[in-house]
Amino acid sequence: MGSTVVLEKWPVLGRHEWAAEWLQVWTDLGRAPRTIDAYARGLAEYLTMCDREGVDPATANRAHVAVYVRELTERPSRWGANVVSIDSGSGLANATIQQRLVPVRLYYDYLMEEGLRESNPVGRGRYTPGRRRSGHDRGLVPRLTKLPWIPAGQQWLDILSVAADEPIRNRVMLALAYDAALRRQELCSLRTDDIDPAHRTLRVRAETTNNRLERIVPYSAPTGVLLSGYLTHRAKLSRARGPFFLSESHRNRAQPLSLWTWSKVVRRLALAAAVPEFSTHTTRHLCLTDLARMGWELHAIARFAGHRNTESTLTYIHLSGRDLADKLNRGMEQIHGWRVQMLARLGEPGAEANES
């Protein structure tokens, strides 16, 4: 997305000279269109607040930024009746607020580099008394890390039951999203030459990932059967190489399937299955959690997921209390068995001499 298109979408950026220049810098640096759009949206909302409050963004202080944060935390949910969690009915989620603050922070970094400010009112955290050893800084907004939601066994079966009546394309996409733990962007950006049916693998290109790491991931034999069926079906829409998943609507027939179309498909499935929490990212969480349940080592799961470090992987893996209890019980059984064996040996003739 070019800066001109962004300025048309968010005209408030064009009214602030330094904002437009800052956005152009990121565009020239080759940031992904989705990143540019996210930066533009976050800064546009902040500048809109400044205009409304009569504040010059170039001289705004921490109190003015706090007004923006308060506005985000009190904003009504745009989902209305489709709110899916208790704390999402009012205000943006903590992670979304963090994302909105990133472009504001980067904007003030730019103003400092240009000599227009001496400090950043957003900042990156300050020294917290009592945390000297850990070196932990407290940010402007506390960062909350919640466990990802994954469906229970029956909920997953309900989703699959609804998905069974879906067109072949949607079933393949759902299968690949789980099998290969694909993000929405990675799934919808697959191209015909990314698929290797002979080895049942697919290539996730670096430019479609969040961290620009390319990876090769496998998919299962059942998914391969679905994929073969979709290849036959796709040939009826288009034999041209390029985007793998195509739209079948009358308006966009044979055009690349958009992210938003896939999101609508998943949302429809979730509501039909009475599992409103289910989203395009749920399959990724579920796959990585299942790999952990099967005993995969953490670094192997991280590589499969395309994470640079295992800390990111840990936030995706959701082992329930029951899973952890089972692991503890198995471990305790081994320890208990070992102790019983040692006690039994003490009753054997000569055991005391051997132990000493």
Side-chain angles (χ1 to χ4, degrees):
M1 179 178 294
S3 59
T4 302
V5 176
V6 171
L7 293 179
E8 293 176 354
K9 185 176 181 180
W10 310 104
V12 66
L13 298 175
R15 297 196 297 269
H16 293 266
E17 176 185 2
W18 294 104
E21 291 188 10
W22 170 80
L23 193 65
Q24 185 62 51
V25 168
W26 286 107
T27 303
D28 293 341
L29 288 173
R31 289 298 187 272
R34 289 178 62 213
T35 300
I36 295 297
D37 188 58
Y39 282 1
R41 176 177 183 171
L43 185 58
E45 291 185 351
Y46 172 69
L47 294 178
T48 300
M49 183 278 298
C50 288
D51 289 350
R52 186 176 62 252
E53 299 292 328
V55 176
D56 181 2
T59 60
N61 57 35
R62 200 172 182 85
H64 298 129
V65 177
V67 173
Y68 176 55
V69 172
R70 183 186 64 192
E71 178 184 301
L72 295 178
T73 58
E74 296 177 351
R75 180 177 301 175
S77 172
R78 67 187 179 91
W79 292 110
N82 288 332
V83 171
V84 298
S85 63
I86 295 177
D87 61 353
S88 64
S90 176
L92 300 178
N94 179 266
T96 304
I97 294 175
Q98 301 286 352
Q99 292 172 355
R100 292 287 196 276
L101 287 175
V102 167
V104 181
R105 181 186 298 117
L106 294 176
Y107 172 64
Y108 281 115
D109 281 347
Y110 178 72
L111 295 185
M112 291 172 62
E113 292 172 358
E114 296 297 317
L116 299 174
R117 287 188 63 100
E118 294 184 355
S119 62
N120 191 324
V122 181
R124 286 172 172 77
R126 294 180 174 180
Y127 166 71
T128 303
R131 300 289 184 93
R132 180 177 300 175
R133 290 186 178 181
S134 65
H136 177 76
D137 292 332
R138 178 174 296 172
L140 185 66
V141 177
R143 186 177 296 276
L144 306 178
T145 302
K146 298 183 178 181
L147 286 174
W149 178 87
I150 59 173
Q154 186 57 51
Q155 290 175 316
W156 178 242
L157 292 177
D158 291 341
I159 292 168
L160 294 182
S161 177
V162 172
D165 297 326
E166 286 291 304
I168 183 67
R169 183 202 67 194
N170 296 347
R171 283 182 284 147
V172 170
M173 293 184 72
L174 187 64
L176 283 178
Y178 170 76
D179 250 6
L182 298 179
R183 303 177 178 94
R184 181 183 63 166
Q185 173 75 18
E186 297 168 348
L187 176 66
C188 295
S189 299
L190 285 174
R191 300 179 64 84
T192 52
D193 56 352
D194 292 332
I195 313 295
D196 183 357
H199 297 92
R200 287 213 308 269
T201 60
L202 56 87
R203 176 172 63 111
V204 183
R205 286 170 288 116
E207 60 268 26
T208 69
T209 67
N210 289 349
N211 51 19
R212 299 299 185 262
L213 286 178
E214 183 170 297
R215 66 187 190 276
I216 303 294
V217 291
Y219 56 85
S220 66
T223 298
V225 174
L226 282 174
L227 192 61
S228 177
Y230 176 68
L231 286 171
T232 302
H233 176 75
R234 185 189 182 281
K236 299 176 182 178
L237 295 173
S238 173
R239 292 183 177 274
R241 292 183 174 273
F244 188 63
F245 294 114
L246 303 178
S247 172
E248 300 183 26
S249 68
H250 294 294
R251 185 176 61 179
N252 300 312
R253 188 172 180 82
Q255 295 299 309
L257 188 74
S258 70
L259 302 177
W260 319 119
T261 299
W262 176 236
S263 293
K264 291 178 181 178
V265 169
V266 173
R267 186 62 181 165
R268 175 170 51 77
L269 289 174
L271 294 178
V275 188
E277 301 90 347
F278 189 79
S279 71
T280 57
H281 215 60
T282 300
T283 47
R284 179 170 167 84
H285 286 298
L286 183 60
C287 174
L288 300 184
T289 298
D290 285 346
L291 294 180
R293 287 168 170 167
M294 289 188 292
W296 277 41
E297 295 183 0
L298 188 58
H299 76 274
I301 299 177
R303 183 178 179 182
F304 184 86
H307 292 151
R308 289 186 182 275
N309 58 70
T310 55
E311 289 185 4
S312 299
T313 309
L314 285 172
T315 64
Y316 276 76
I317 296 175
H318 176 222
L319 295 180
S320 68
R322 179 176 297 178
D323 295 323
L324 296 176
D326 289 342
K327 286 180 177 293
L328 177 62
N329 289 334
R330 289 194 296 269
M332 290 302 295
E333 288 176 359
Q334 294 176 356
I335 294 174
H336 177 75
W338 171 77
R339 295 190 188 282
V340 169
Q341 289 178 2
M342 294 302 295
L343 287 171
R345 288 184 60 188
L346 290 178
E348 298 175 359
E352 295 182 2
N354 292 335
E355 290 298 325
S356 61

